[in-house]
Amino acid sequence: MSLKKDVKDDKQARLVLNQIGTKVIQRPNPVTGLTGDQIPADTLQFDDINNIRSGITAQESNVEVLALLNVLTEFSGMSPSGIAPIRGTMQTKTLSLTDGAVSYMDFGPGVWHVTDIVVIYAGGSGTITFRAYAYDPIDGNPALEIKYGSTTSSALYNYNNDSQFDHFQNQFWGETHNNGSRQLGLKPSGTFDAGSMTAYVLAHRVR
């Protein structure tokens, strides 16, 4: 039996379509400028799926509506769990760093999860400290320090080098709430060649 007929014959699946049936499946292309707080109200969002899914139990009578939600998340480019990577979105982003200053990375459209951060530099000597911050320019609160570490390496620091990064990996970046754009801040302090310090951030979209 086709999914179309299953959904048509299933009351819950019809209710879902009635609720979100006027929304477009995919976000607009970023070149249109319709990103961030300009995303049209009729675009299917992760919260739409999550609000529906949270009230559905895993039983035989709900097979059709669960299948429908799976199709919607697949074609909208969202992870069904909201946590797992969305296929094809893994990226290594770069951020230039300056001694004693916080440099921020704006992840752009979507919600992102960071799995690793490596900083490569030249001429390091003594102890160099590295901090990471979470900052949302919308809510206006001060940046929150979420990671601190240090190294005596003359060339490299990996943020994923201690248990603090476990907490870091529970963070989400980018469009984490309406109109928000949660940014990642990195701050090195020490002696090194400031002209060649770059952070490589491995991240993937989850929504």
Side-chain angles (χ1 to χ4, degrees):
M1 187 177 295
S2 69
L3 177 60
K4 180 178 179 180
K5 179 170 176 54
D6 290 343
V7 170
K8 183 178 180 181
D9 293 341
D10 183 76
K11 180 179 179 180
Q12 278 193 291
R14 292 200 311 274
L15 289 174
V16 169
L17 287 180
N18 288 338
Q19 182 175 337
I20 62 175
T22 60
K23 295 179 180 291
V24 295
I25 293 296
Q26 185 59 273
R27 291 172 179 268
N29 190 312
V31 300
T32 66
L34 297 175
T35 58
D37 59 354
Q38 298 179 23
I39 293 176
D42 61 350
T43 301
L44 187 65
Q45 302 289 315
F46 176 79
D47 286 344
D48 296 323
I49 300 295
N50 202 39
N51 289 338
I52 295 169
R53 186 183 58 192
S54 62
I56 299 175
T57 55
Q59 57 190 39
E60 183 179 0
S61 60
N62 291 328
V63 167
E64 287 79 9
V65 71
L66 290 171
L68 173 62
L69 291 177
N70 187 55
V71 169
L72 290 172
T73 54
E74 176 74 17
F75 281 90
S76 62
M78 292 184 285
S79 160
S81 66
I83 298 174
I86 297 175
R87 290 196 306 270
T89 63
M90 184 69 74
Q91 295 183 19
T92 300
K93 299 175 177 289
T94 59
L95 184 65
S96 296
L97 304 182
T98 302
D99 182 23
V102 184
S103 299
Y104 287 101
M105 174 172 288
D106 188 344
F107 286 83
V111 178
W112 294 80
H113 183 232
V114 172
T115 56
D116 203 2
I117 303 173
V118 175
V119 182
I120 297 178
Y121 49 93
S125 64
T127 299
I128 303 175
T129 62
F130 291 87
R131 289 176 165 85
Y133 300 86
Y135 175 65
D136 191 331
I138 300 298
D139 63 27
N141 293 324
L144 174 67
E145 182 177 310
I146 58 174
K147 175 75 169 67
Y148 171 84
S150 63
T151 183
T152 57
S153 170
S154 63
L156 181 146
Y157 176 73
N158 190 335
Y159 272 81
N160 189 6
N161 65 352
D162 58 36
S163 59
Q164 287 188 52
F165 202 76
D166 294 340
H167 169 68
F168 188 96
Q169 287 190 305
N170 292 328
Q171 307 293 320
F172 292 95
W173 309 94
E175 298 170 346
T176 56
H177 60 274
N178 290 337
N179 299 328
S181 182
R182 196 163 188 252
Q183 298 177 2
L184 167 65
L186 302 178
K187 177 184 178 182
S189 299
T191 301
F192 49 83
D193 181 358
S196 59
M197 176 170 274
T198 303
Y200 296 86
V201 180
L202 184 64
H204 57 256
R205 272 190 61 177
V206 297
R207 303 176 197 167

